[in-house]
Amino acid sequence: MMNSSPFRPTGLSLFLLLAWTGLTTAPAQEKQPPPDTEKKQIELERKQLELEKKQLDLQRRQLQLEEAARKELQLQETEKAVTMKLESDVLFDFGKAEIKPEAEQTLDKVGTVIAQFPEGRVRIEGHTDSKGSRKVNRELSKRRAEAVKDWLVKKKDIPESIITTVGFGEMKPAAPNASPDGRQQNRRVEITVEK
């Protein structure tokens, strides 16, 4: 006896039926990423956030270092120039013109500032307090300015041709010479970089 069902699947129709069923369910499967891909995406986003945090930390540190250098160098900036004032007691022993080894970090920062203005001109002024004779003070201040120039040329590759030096001795005091504190302020090297 024959089956009363009007449709009898053949091999080809069975294949087409299965293929059609697979097609109808395939888009639903494609919409959801595999769990591994989702985990990798979350991990990448976490790493990106960590990198952004590190970058912000580095920027904050850079600002702190710049502020510390600004204070150490007593840096003042105008539209036309940057001026740094260094206490001679930091750079030199009393009455000497040889740069102390511990002053090299400070001068390294000076060189970094100068390097930011490759077209600029640099003027280095030496100053002393009023102790001693004017002639000796003027000569000492000139030798100190020259010592700073020589260090910057040799250690920081600043072109010698852009640097001029002058020794004022006690002629341009920053403070009264009546007190030890005032005399200390007067013993200084001022470096001006024209932008």
Side-chain angles (χ1 to χ4, degrees), residues 84 108-120 122 156-159 162 193:
M84 296 163 275
D108 188 60
K109 292 172 188 167
V110 169
T112 301
V113 171
I114 293 171
Q116 292 177 20
F117 306 99
E119 303 297 317
V122 180
K156 295 300 283 183
D157 294 325
I158 306 293
I162 69 164
V193 185

Side-chain angles (χ1 to χ4, degrees), residues 43-59:
E43 182 64 19
L44 284 173
E45 289 173 3
R46 186 185 64 76
K47 285 182 179 179
Q48 184 176 358
L49 287 173
E50 284 178 10
L51 287 173
E52 289 172 3
K53 182 182 180 291
K54 285 180 182 177
Q55 185 177 13
L56 287 172
D57 286 344
L58 286 172
Q59 289 172 344

Side-chain angles (χ1 to χ4, degrees), residues 32-161:
Q32 294 198 357
D36 286 347
T37 305
E38 199 171 304
K39 285 180 184 177
K40 287 179 184 175
Q41 180 68 29
I42 290 169
E43 182 64 19
L44 284 173
E45 289 173 3
R46 186 185 64 76
K47 285 182 179 179
Q48 184 176 358
L49 287 173
E50 284 178 10
L51 287 173
E52 289 172 3
K53 182 182 180 291
K54 285 180 182 177
Q55 185 177 13
L56 287 172
D57 286 344
L58 286 172
Q59 289 172 344
R60 182 181 51 79
R61 268 193 191 147
Q62 171 105 17
L63 288 172
Q64 288 173 339
L65 288 172
E66 287 174 6
E67 184 59 29
R70 186 174 289 273
K71 286 180 182 177
E72 179 183 359
L73 302 177
Q74 298 181 47
L75 192 137
Q76 295 180 344
E77 187 170 2
T78 65
E79 190 177 310
K80 296 182 179 182
V82 174
T83 303
M84 296 163 275
K85 186 169 33 171
L86 310 174
E87 292 180 10
S88 286
D89 296 352
V90 171
L91 300 174
F92 309 100
D93 287 325
F94 186 78
K96 307 274 184 185
E98 293 79 31
I99 292 173
K100 295 195 264 188
E102 58 269 24
E104 293 197 8
Q105 279 188 328
T106 301
L107 289 175
D108 188 60
K109 292 172 188 167
V110 169
T112 301
V113 171
I114 293 171
Q116 292 177 20
F117 306 99
E119 303 297 317
R121 308 284 305 164
V122 180
R123 178 178 166 100
I124 302 173
E125 299 177 357
H127 300 271
T128 65
D129 61 22
S130 61
K131 293 263 186 183
S133 74
R134 284 184 182 225
K135 183 179 177 185
V136 168
N137 285 338
R138 181 171 262 172
E139 180 58 34
L140 178 61
S141 64
K142 175 72 172 161
R143 286 187 6 243
R144 286 179 169 180
E146 286 289 331
V148 171
K149 173 185 173 179
D150 292 343
W151 192 95
L152 291 169
V153 169
K154 290 176 187 167
K155 303 277 184 160
K156 295 300 283 183
D157 294 325
I158 306 293
E160 187 174 1
S161 60

Side-chain angles (χ1 to χ4, degrees), residues 129-131 173 175-184 186:
D129 61 22
S130 61
K131 293 263 186 183
N177 278 298
S179 69
D181 184 53
R183 289 191 294 276
Q184 182 180 10
N186 291 334

